[in-house]
Amino acid sequence: MYYMDKEFIAHIRSDSMNGFVLQDLDTHLEGVGALMYEFSNEFFNAEWGKIIGRWHDIGKYSEAFQQYIEVNSGYKEGPLLGKTDHSSAGAIYAKETLPEGYWQPIAYCIAGHHAGLHNWYPEIGLSGSLQERLTKLELLNSIRDHFNEETVDYNKLNAPTGKALPSESFHLWIRMLFSCLVDADYLDTESFMNPESFEKRGKYDSLSTLKDRFDDYMSSFAEKAVDSDMNRIRDSVLKQCIYSGILEPGFFSITVPTGGGKTLSSIAWALEHAVRYKKKRVVFAIPYTSIISQTVQVYREIFGETNVVEHHSNIDDETSSDESKLSIENWDAPIIVTTNVQLFESLYANRTSKCRKLHNLANSIIILDEAQMLPPEFLKPILSILRSLVEDFGASVLFSTATQPVLTGEIGGSGKYAFKEIETERIREIVPDFKCLTNKLNRVDVQMPENIHKNMEWKEVADELMQFDQVLSIVNTRKDCRSLYNLMPEDTFHLSRMMCSAHILDVIAQIKDRLRNGESIRVVSTQLIEAGVDIDFPVVYRALAGLDSIAQSAGRCNREGKLNKEGKLGLTKVFCPPKNTPLGLMRKGSDTLKEMIGGADSCCNLIDPASFKRYFDLFYSKIQNFDKPNIKSLLWQDAAQMKFQFATAARDFKLIDDRGSETILIEYKEGADLVRLFKHKGPESWLMRKLQRYSVSVNARDFEKIRSAGLIEQIHGCWVQSHESLYNTKVGLLSDGEWLEEIHII
């Protein structure tokens, strides 16, 4: 685009030394087009990217926008003006200029580059649609006299990702182009508006350098390590992972029992694989925010602070560098540690802030830690988008767990909801002798109930727990946690989501200290502690649940094999609680285990790879819907006509269903100061991120109980603790001195 009769402005910066500085529109369009060309070339669509970048802001050629930016920036005097629509013109121009199948992807990206990807069809409760945007012909007509129209040879626009795409993958391709545009637009704007911030970007070491650093770290670690059976096994696992890094990109799994060193071995494989195949970064996704910190701490010790970016809801802005905060926006760092929620909800998001980072997943390595925790009711859209990332965008995906779920072949048996997403032979195990490892790493005697249908009373469970100096009991619900904890001695520790995240992390740290010092300690916890928390109890009690949960609980028992040196095993005892497991997925898990125990598997070693395969086959056969948000109808069904419901899919794809719950900001330790600051300053973004660590969610009934008791107040649209009796520093949220009922969020 070239302006014809005047200089058109894209951005205005107020500079204390130079006064107002203008960025002309043509420079901005060329700059975004160049960045788009670079970004989208990663998946072989550079020409698409260049056109989208050059057309995205042609609406700024309008007189209305020029008046808006001149006046509202203070460059010219006058009353402040309302915002103008400068995004629709480029979308309309694409429809006018290009044939069917070519204009739609470009129109989605340009029309949504501020408001987010639109639905094709309008929907009540969601603002706008692409159809509506395309009717605003006056926006294009108003700028025709101000720019030279550009003729595009659409034959140069090669196929999406350079090949024919299946219908399920088109939405991700458009989302990737959209991500490139959002990032390119932000970066070009930032380079002009905030050059100091822009200069801090991209200051990372290469993955090759990080691999050398890792090799040095592991060599030093090996020299200091005690010569033991456990460490020899971990060394063997590490070497097998490094060797497997030479395998061609695609899907991989690492199935190593708890304590076998998966965290370091998987990153060793990733670095070997990345350097060999020129991958751009490693993304490590974890189910819970409560277990991320220990992984990040290890990686930062090895690779350095700036090379490892932590992205989840509980990030502390004060401990994050400026560079880290910038990288959170677009994931351009070499190593990203995040949550499943952040990763997969972003992959189905429509908002600019969530989509901006997605193009940096192309040609990357994604490690899914504790893969058994992928939610079954979202399994089809999750596996579909992972398959597209691997087949169409050059990613490699590693499923990492001690209890590998069945994610290939026919999932769900022969039921109406069964599906096949990934061929069995396409997932390659990077530790081939994992069956042998299971026997070598046997550190726990898992005792099942003699009668799987006989329930124990909480008093019986408490009496048994009090026989041990160091014992962990894991139960299924917050209410169960309350009931058992109330029967235990006063010095017992409690863990549940009735406590804010900062409180949970404090208690976990205290538990580790006591275990390290050999002190007496008893803990009653919900399942939040069973996956990935690095603790080591000699005895663990587990309320009946699915086999994967029991195996994870056993992973907190004799984790370092210290009892083996004495010729002993740790004890993990499964018991049937007074009431049945809650309805839903948790009940399906326990019912599946009961079926196995009562059938041909009753004499088998349940903590064994073959048993896990049998378990997940049975478990998935009980799932009635693997596509809860109905992504098929929203994004796949009308892909050939390019009719996508992006906004609806983003609304409905929520791995944590918090509808019907309310969040309360808690005055726990630093949270009290933050709440006072919130009352004074209001909901500033940095402050709200910090306050996420000091919040608890409750269901509607308990919320109303708390509100009517006058224990909270609404400030700036948020509910805030207003009475000290609401929160207890041992057990978390209370109501009139009583426990609140459980809210079970999957």
Side-chain angles (χ1 to χ4, degrees), residues 28-46:
H28 177 57
L29 296 178
E30 291 289 344
V32 174
L35 284 172
M36 280 286 294
Y37 186 95
E38 175 190 342
F39 294 162
S40 54
N41 192 46
E42 197 69 52
F43 47 92
F44 311 109
N45 288 135

Side-chain angles (χ1 to χ4, degrees), residues 291-315:
I291 63 177
I292 278 186
S293 57
Q294 63 188 28
T295 300
V296 171
Q297 184 177 351
V298 171
Y299 286 170
R300 283 180 173 162
E301 180 183 348
I302 299 171
F303 303 116
E305 174 86 19
T306 58
N307 292 309
V308 180
V309 167
E310 181 181 6
H311 188 186
H312 55 86
S313 61
N314 288 336
I315 300 168

Side-chain angles (χ1 to χ4, degrees), residues 403-420:
T403 58
Q404 198 67 251
V406 180
L407 298 176
T408 62
E410 196 74 23
I411 297 176
S414 57
K416 67 179 282 192
Y417 295 104
F419 70 100
K420 179 187 286 187

Side-chain angles (χ1 to χ4, degrees), residues 251-253 399 407-408 422-429:
F251 283 106
F252 300 88
S253 63
F399 298 105
L407 298 176
T408 62
I422 304 170
E423 299 293 334
T424 302
E425 62 275 9
R426 296 204 43 215
I427 297 186
R428 290 155 289 172
E429 176 63 46

